[in-house]
């Protein structure tokens, strides 16, 4: 039952994930459209073999006219079964696949205990966002400008829909994570959970999951959802999350 509920609430009935963006239902596709610093992409599709290539071409033309690259967020149960190959043939490039994992908050095995000398600090302002993005860049590498932009915008305009936290040790940020709250649904989603290399293996990832789960439960949410990387999947499984599907970002040419 959880996967159909996820598809309905988080994909087919998706709401904009940030101020200034919009979600559109156009035929058999649900897409998000925003500025160049926002996430643009296909959230849900229900295609058949006869019409899939035409719909893909329509989305390329639509975003192309806006001057936007975009992501087609493909799930393993999406139709048609060869949609991945069709996207590749149209010039999309697959990024690393992740596992869609969902846990019912009341049934998860959670502990918010952190190592000695570590303080969990909520992110409420630009200074906190900078601490969080510093962790993000150390843990994952690459550019964190999109995360910075999204979080600053949400904190300023929709503070009730995001929670972020930084673990501080000796005055330095060593782990961080955020949570997106989805009003009108039963789901809160966990993102950007990362720990600098020297602090891994000490339980900080688990503690930040528990911290956010407590906040989500207090707001009345029933499920936590994660697009889990291979490194976090076994941790989440031990906490009680179930793997429901795989999801692969296909990036437009």
């Amino acid at each position: 039952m959880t996967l159909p509920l996820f598809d309905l609430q988080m994909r087919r009935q998706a709401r904009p994930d940030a101020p200034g963006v919009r979600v559109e239902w156009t035929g058999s596709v649900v897409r998000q459209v925003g500025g160049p610093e926002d996430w643009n992409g296909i959230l849900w599709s229900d295609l058949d073999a006869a019409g899939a290539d035409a719909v893909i071409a329509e989305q390329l033309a639509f975003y192309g006219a806006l001057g936007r690259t975009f992501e087609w967020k493909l799930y393993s149960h999406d139709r048609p079964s060869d949609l991945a190959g069709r996207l590749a043939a149209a010039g999309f490039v697959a990024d690393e696949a992740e596992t869609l994992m969902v846990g019912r908050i009341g049934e998860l095995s959670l502990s918010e205990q952190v190592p000695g000398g570590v303080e969990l600090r909520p992110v409420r302002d630009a200074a906190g966002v900078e601490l969080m993005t510093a962790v993000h860049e150390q843990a994952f590498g690459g550019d964190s400008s999109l995360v910075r932009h999204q979080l600053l915008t949400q904190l300023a305009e929709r503070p009730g829909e995001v929670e972020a936290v930084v673990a501080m040790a000796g005055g330095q940020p060593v782990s961080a994570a955020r949570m997106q709250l989805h009003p009108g649904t039963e789901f809160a989603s966990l993102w950007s959970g990362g720990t600098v290399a020297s602090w891994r293996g000490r339980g900080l990832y688990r503690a930040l999951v528990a911290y956010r789960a407590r906040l989500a439960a207090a707001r009345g949410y029933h499920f936590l959802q994660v697009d889990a990387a291979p490194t976090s999947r076994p941790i989440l499984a031990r906490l009680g999350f179930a793997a429901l599907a795989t999801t692969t970002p296909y990036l437009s040419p």
Side-chain angles (χ1 to χ4, degrees):
M1 179 60 188
T2 309
L3 183 57
L5 184 67
F6 174 84
D7 279 342
L8 174 64
Q9 294 188 356
M10 297 290 285
R11 301 182 67 201
R12 294 173 62 186
Q13 298 177 348
R15 297 175 69 253
D17 69 359
V21 305
R22 66 185 188 273
V23 170
E24 301 177 339
W25 181 300
T26 171
S28 53
V29 163
V30 176
R31 67 191 179 203
Q32 179 166 292
V33 185
E37 293 186 308
D38 297 307
W39 185 88
N40 290 265
I42 307 302
L43 294 158
W44 177 83
S45 65
D46 185 19
L47 310 179
D48 57 32
D53 292 337
V55 174
I56 292 170
E58 289 169 3
Q59 302 312 308
L60 284 167
F62 172 80
Y63 283 104
L66 297 176
R68 303 282 185 271
T69 56
F70 69 103
E71 175 185 318
W72 194 300
K73 193 166 176 58
L74 179 68
Y75 290 78
S76 52
H77 56 289
D78 287 346
R79 300 186 300 172
S81 59
D82 64 347
L83 183 54
R86 292 171 184 265
L87 290 170
F92 287 78
V93 177
D95 206 342
E96 183 178 2
E98 297 176 314
T99 303
L100 169 64
M101 303 190 75
V102 172
R104 186 181 290 273
I105 295 174
E107 298 175 359
L108 297 176
S109 177
L110 299 173
S111 171
E112 206 171 312
Q113 183 176 359
V114 297
V118 174
E119 172 198 2
L120 299 187
R121 183 182 300 177
V123 174
R124 297 284 184 260
D125 53 23
V129 172
E130 290 305 315
L131 292 172
M132 182 172 181
T133 54
V135 172
H136 191 274
E137 290 174 350
Q138 291 183 64
F140 304 115
D143 182 13
S144 61
S145 58
L146 179 60
V147 173
R148 179 184 290 107
H149 166 76
Q150 290 179 331
L151 191 50
L152 285 171
T153 303
Q154 287 180 306
L155 288 173
E157 300 185 32
R158 291 186 185 173
E161 296 184 13
V162 65
E163 292 284 354
V165 57
V166 177
M168 302 292 294
Q172 298 298 315
V174 295
S175 188
R178 65 184 173 94
M179 175 172 65
Q180 186 76 30
L181 301 165
H182 304 278
T185 79
E186 298 179 59
F187 293 87
S189 52
L190 307 185
W191 300 97
S192 305
T195 302
V196 301
S198 60
W199 277 85
R200 290 173 187 162
R202 306 193 199 187
L204 283 174
Y205 182 89
R206 295 190 299 274
L208 295 188
V209 171
Y211 175 93
R212 290 172 289 170
R214 174 173 54 81
L215 296 178
R219 303 275 193 94
Y221 291 91
H222 298 142
F223 298 100
L224 293 179
Q225 172 256 322
V226 188
D227 289 348
T231 51
S232 55
R233 176 175 175 170
I235 302 173
L236 293 166
R238 288 193 293 271
L239 296 179
F241 286 77
L244 302 185
T246 58
T247 177
T248 305
Y250 276 80
L251 308 179
S252 67

